[in-house]
Every structure is written in C-alpha cells, then in structure tokens.
Amino acid sequence: MSRRRPHEEEDGYDRAYRKRRRVSENQEIEDRLESLILRVGEKSTSSLESNLEGLASVLEADLSTFRIKILRILTDCAIKMPEKCTIYTTLVGLLNVKNYNFGGDFVEYMVKNFKESLKNCKWDAARYALRFLADLVNCHVVSAPSLLQLLDNMIDAANEDNVPQVRRDWYVFAILSTLPWVGRELYEKKEQSLEHLLVQIEVFLNKRTKKHHNALRVWAVDTPHPQEEYLDCLWSQIRKLRQDNWAEKHIPRPYLAFDSILCEALQHSLPSILPPPHHDSYQYPMPWVVFRLFDYTDCPEGPILPGAHSIERFLIEEHLHSIIEMYHLERKDCAAHLLNFPYKLKIPLEYCIVECIFAELFHMPTPRYLEIAYGAILIELCKLQPSTMPQVLAQATEMLFMRIDSMNVSCFDRFVTWFSYHLSNFQFRWSWEDWDSCLTLDLEHPKPKFIRETMLKSMRLSYHQRVREILPDSFSCFIPVKPEPDYKYAKEGADCLLKKLIPHPCDLDLDPGLTPITKLGIARDGNITFDMH
C-alpha cells in the first residue's frame, strides 16, 4: 500500500499540469513572435516605421525569456529573405539601441553563420550574410573600419595563388554585390579605405583570364547588346554608381527615418574573420555571361528600363532571379510573386521578367532547372497578365528570331523546344506571314531551320493534320513528312523474307503426329496466313 497521502498525489498532478500549461504558453508566445517577425514589412494599415518601432518594443520585452529564439529567427530571416534585408537591419538597429548586449549577441551569431556558410560552400547564404553585416553599418550597429577589414581579408583570399579562379572570382563578386548597400556610408566615413579597396579589385579584374567567355555566350556577336562576362558587367555598374556618388534609387532604407535614434547607439566591431582555406572538395559557383535582350528603346510606354550599366538593373535582376529560385517548383506561385514585384510601378516589369526568364533558359552550359519549368511559368504569366504579357513575349520571340543567325546551337535547340511548347498551349496561333522573308533563304539557313524544327516538335505535341492547318500555304515547304507505319512484311517481296525467317515444314524435325502446314502466305492486312491438312 502506498504511504503517499491523497493530497500529495493531487499536488503532483497539479504540478505536472502547470508545467505542461507553461510549456504550451511559451510555445504560443514563440509562434506569435515568429509570425510578427516574418510578416513585418508586408502590406499593413500602419506605416512600416510604426510597425518596426512597435515590434522592437515587443521583442525587447521578451528578450529575457526568448533571447535564443529571437536570435535564430532574425538570422534565418536575414539569410532566407534577402529582399527584406534593410527592414531587418533596421529592426536589429532599434533593438541595439534598447539593449546593447543583444546587439552584440546578434552580430556574433551572424558572424558565426557567415563562417559556417563559407565552410559548407553555401555561397548564396554567405553572400546574404555579408550583405546583412554591411547594412548593419548603416544602422550604427557595426563599425565601418571592422567591415572594411573583413572586405580586405576577402580581397586577400581573392589574390591567393594555386587556387581555382572560380574561388577568387566569388570573393570579388561577393564584395562588389555588397557595395550598393553600404557604399554611400563607407564613402562618407572611410573614403580613402574604400578607394583602396576598389583599386585592388580593379587590379584583380585586369589580370583575370576569361577563357570561358566565348563558350558561355548566347550570341556570337555583340550587336545590338554586348554579351558581357558577369564580373566585368558588375564592375561597370559599380563604377557608374561611384560616379553618381553611391546614390541608387532601388534599395528601400527604412533606417533613415530612425537616424536620430540609431546614431546614439554604441557600435560593435566585427571580430577578425579569415576565409577558410581552399579544399579540393569545395565546389564554387560557375561564371556566366549576362543576358541582354531589351533596352529602353524597346519599352515605348510607361517607366524607363534602367541602363545596362546602372546598378538598378543588377538589383532588379538579382531580385527576380531569387524569386524564380524560390518558387520555380510552383509555377502559379512563381508567376504571382513575379508580377507582385515590390517596385513594379518604377520599372517596365513585364520586360524585366521576360528577359530574366530567357536568361535562365539560355544559361550556358545548362539551365539551372528543367526547361519546361520556364515555359510553364511564362504560360502562367500570360494567363495572369493577359493585357500586356503576351505582347511582350511575342516581341521577345520576334527579337530572338531576328538574331537567330548568331545564336549558340544549344540555345537554338532550347528556343525551338520552348516555342513549340508555348504554341501548343495557345492553339498554335502565330503570325507566320511576318516571317515570310525566310522563304527565300536556303533551307539550311538558321531561320528556315528554326521553323522546320518547330513544326517537327509541334507535330509531336499534336498531329500532322493540325500542323498542316496552322501554317499558311506559302509555308508548305516547312510541313514535316507525314509519319506512316513501316511494316516490312507487307512490302513487295515479303514472301522471300518470310521463307528466310520461317523454314519449310519438311526441313523441320517434327513429331509425326502433328498436322503439317501445307500453305503459307500473307494477307492484305499484313497478317500471316496458313492452311493445315
């Protein structure tokens, strides 16, 4: 018999119940905090500044209990939601003003994440972490000299000997892609150090070999748009930004509204960060050539398309590519997010989207994802934006066709595959008469060959009679030969062939009890006939 008194058992049950209830309440608070942090910056009836200020006060009140949880959520948001980088840096800056120790913990946590990303070859995550640390300089959380020291260490890694060029290229690309966020602040506070950094980058780029350039080009000629190697293009964009005194028009900077508050905070210095040495197992991002299809003259109405060497063009394209990367498996979500681009009123969005999707499709040596993924996304875009997207896509197709003479063979095949797939989803409607100039060209010329290959692909997606119907009579030379079954036993002389395949019964060692075959032949339908007696 138990010696425990009844009221003691009840107390134990109550303690367990209270513990479970406390854990449940803590989980609810954690979920609420995570939801608030993730949703900050979305459309709201209140201004972004008031939302950030209110969220900072809520998080500060819960720091004592949920410090680790808040650190983890903010770090994850910095890496996985780079488009909201400046929103979260502003939030960290406001928390740093209220709680200096938390600001230090966050910087330490982010530095740890940056180091781990470099060690684990998570190059995009490392670049986003570097960008976030750089933007913290604007929020008076990180000191400018310590950031410049980190960038100098990365330049030293880019100048190492006996390492792959792709490793050195990535470190320079990471620095250049970070400067649009922090260039203005470094220019005002550490101009000489910034200029020294840029000189080192220029020396590196001048010595760099580009043997891969021609192999990665979509077109063999540079007219009407140069096919620039990605680092050269970004360097030209950074130089243009420097000429404009590091003033750009694309990045939202909510921390400017809190400048009088943030400037009073104490800053943290980044620890010494040395990039990990190269290892043979490391795989680095491959170089690419920047795809250009449109310029401002191709967009007659609405906002002006930024120039090829403006930093806004780089920032827009990077954002659109990140959306495709995140949602490429869900074509409807991908199309919706592309059309809901945050700055769509400032740019000709449809032209930017089409150019980015074709850049992915024609990426050399292979696209990042299945070719059909890009075709499916373009179809959804046409459905969601029927008033403008089909026209822009038709204009892009026309421009690609006009430049097909110098197109890379691999890109030619992808263009054929995409175009036939796209036509099959829109009843094969196209203004073929606009391409009648190719009727006078040799059939082996790229333009007639493109139409012929497209018809062959279209026939596989429909049937021969449908292909005959979609082409005008003048284009009859491009209609594929009607596929017919080739049944060799129905042809003339098939009897001899059968005799070779099926020996005479007399030549076989048969059981005497079996009925012999006396007559063997072929019916009109191709079936083998025989008589038995």
Side-chain angles (χ1 to χ4, degrees), residues 211-269:
K211 297 178 181 178
H212 56 273
H213 187 193
N214 288 334
L216 302 179
R217 294 162 64 104
V218 176
W219 288 287
V221 297
D222 282 335
T223 54
H225 306 297
Q227 302 293 293
E228 294 181 286
E229 208 267 347
Y230 79 111
L231 272 184
D232 289 344
C233 184
L234 181 55
W235 174 241
S236 299
Q237 291 164 334
I238 291 296
R239 288 171 58 189
K240 176 70 167 58
L241 181 62
R242 180 171 60 174
Q243 292 174 7
D244 297 336
N245 292 324
W246 302 95
E248 50 72 39
K249 303 173 184 177
H250 182 77
I251 301 174
R253 302 184 184 269
Y255 40 75
L256 295 177
F258 301 101
D259 191 57
S260 59
I261 301 172
L262 297 175
C263 66
E264 298 177 356
L266 296 175
Q267 294 180 319
H268 305 270
S269 293

Side-chain angles (χ1 to χ4, degrees), residues 323-324 326-340 372-385:
I323 293 175
I324 295 172
M326 187 174 298
Y327 298 104
H328 70 277
L329 294 175
E330 296 291 341
R331 66 186 191 280
K332 293 181 182 291
D333 292 343
C334 187
H337 280 85
L338 287 171
L339 291 174
N340 288 329
I372 197 172
Y374 304 111
I377 293 169
L378 286 170
I379 290 170
E380 290 300 325
L381 288 167
C382 291
K383 291 178 180 178
L384 291 176
Q385 200 82 353

Side-chain angles (χ1 to χ4, degrees), residues 360-378:
E360 295 251 356
L361 178 62
F362 294 143
H363 185 272
M364 294 293 291
T366 55
R368 284 199 297 175
Y369 312 116
L370 292 176
E371 293 175 34
I372 197 172
Y374 304 111
I377 293 169
L378 286 170

Side-chain angles (χ1 to χ4, degrees), residues 18-33:
R18 284 196 299 270
K19 183 178 180 180
R20 284 197 301 271
R21 188 174 63 181
R22 189 164 59 249
V23 170
S24 177
E25 289 175 353
N26 287 346
Q27 186 63 46
E28 288 179 6
I29 295 173
E30 287 182 4
D31 292 343
R32 182 174 61 86
L33 291 175

Side-chain angles (χ1 to χ4, degrees), residues 43 58-59 65 68 100 168 186 210 220 227 269 316 361 466 503 525:
K43 289 184 178 180
V58 170
L59 295 180
T65 310
I68 301 299
Y100 177 76
R168 294 184 284 155
L186 296 180
K210 292 178 286 187
Q227 302 293 293
S269 293
I316 292 166
L361 178 62
R466 186 74 179 93
D525 59 1

Side-chain angles (χ1 to χ4, degrees), residues 257-458:
F258 301 101
D259 191 57
S260 59
I261 301 172
L262 297 175
C263 66
E264 298 177 356
L266 296 175
Q267 294 180 319
H268 305 270
S269 293
L270 295 174
S272 178
I273 304 173
L274 297 176
H278 169 67
H279 190 272
D280 291 340
S281 64
Y282 287 2
Q283 292 189 350
Y284 302 93
M286 291 292 106
W288 69 91
V289 170
V290 178
F291 180 82
R292 288 279 180 263
L293 184 60
F294 301 118
D295 60 24
Y296 70 95
T297 60
D298 299 313
C299 315
E301 300 177 359
I304 298 175
L305 181 69
H309 287 163
S310 67
I311 199 63
E312 287 79 12
R313 189 75 167 261
F314 167 77
L315 298 172
I316 292 166
E317 290 170 350
E318 185 186 44
H319 194 166
L320 290 173
H321 283 302
S322 69
I323 293 175
I324 295 172
E325 180 180 8
M326 187 174 298
Y327 298 104
H328 70 277
L329 294 175
E330 296 291 341
R331 66 186 191 280
K332 293 181 182 291
D333 292 343
C334 187
H337 280 85
L338 287 171
L339 291 174
N340 288 329
F341 191 70
Y343 317 106
K344 59 185 177 182
L345 299 179
K346 299 180 181 179
I347 59 172
L349 181 60
E350 291 82 1
Y351 287 89
C352 294
I353 291 174
V354 168
E355 187 176 70
C356 283
I357 292 179
F358 277 123
E360 295 251 356
L361 178 62
F362 294 143
H363 185 272
M364 294 293 291
T366 55
R368 284 199 297 175
Y369 312 116
L370 292 176
E371 293 175 34
I372 197 172
Y374 304 111
I377 293 169
L378 286 170
I379 290 170
E380 290 300 325
L381 288 167
C382 291
K383 291 178 180 178
L384 291 176
Q385 200 82 353
S387 60
T388 55
M389 187 58 73
Q391 291 83 344
V392 174
L393 193 54
Q395 182 180 348
T397 305
E398 184 73 26
M399 296 172 73
L400 290 170
F401 181 75
M402 289 297 109
R403 299 182 60 188
I404 205 169
D405 299 8
S406 59
M407 183 178 278
N408 184 292
V409 175
S410 296
C411 298
F412 181 98
D413 289 342
R414 294 177 212 168
F415 186 25
V416 167
T417 302
W418 166 78
F419 188 53
S420 56
Y421 171 72
H422 190 79
L423 289 177
S424 70
N425 281 272
F426 291 93
Q427 302 177 0
F428 293 97
R429 288 178 297 184
W430 187 255
S431 303
W432 298 105
E433 290 82 0
D434 295 343
W435 289 356
D436 57 4
S437 60
C438 66
L439 296 173
T440 59
L441 299 174
D442 186 271
L443 289 178
E444 293 303 312
H445 189 278
K447 289 181 180 177
K449 186 178 283 289
F450 172 78
I451 297 177
R452 192 166 65 252
E453 293 289 332
T454 299
M455 291 302 102
L456 282 168
K457 289 278 187 181
S458 298

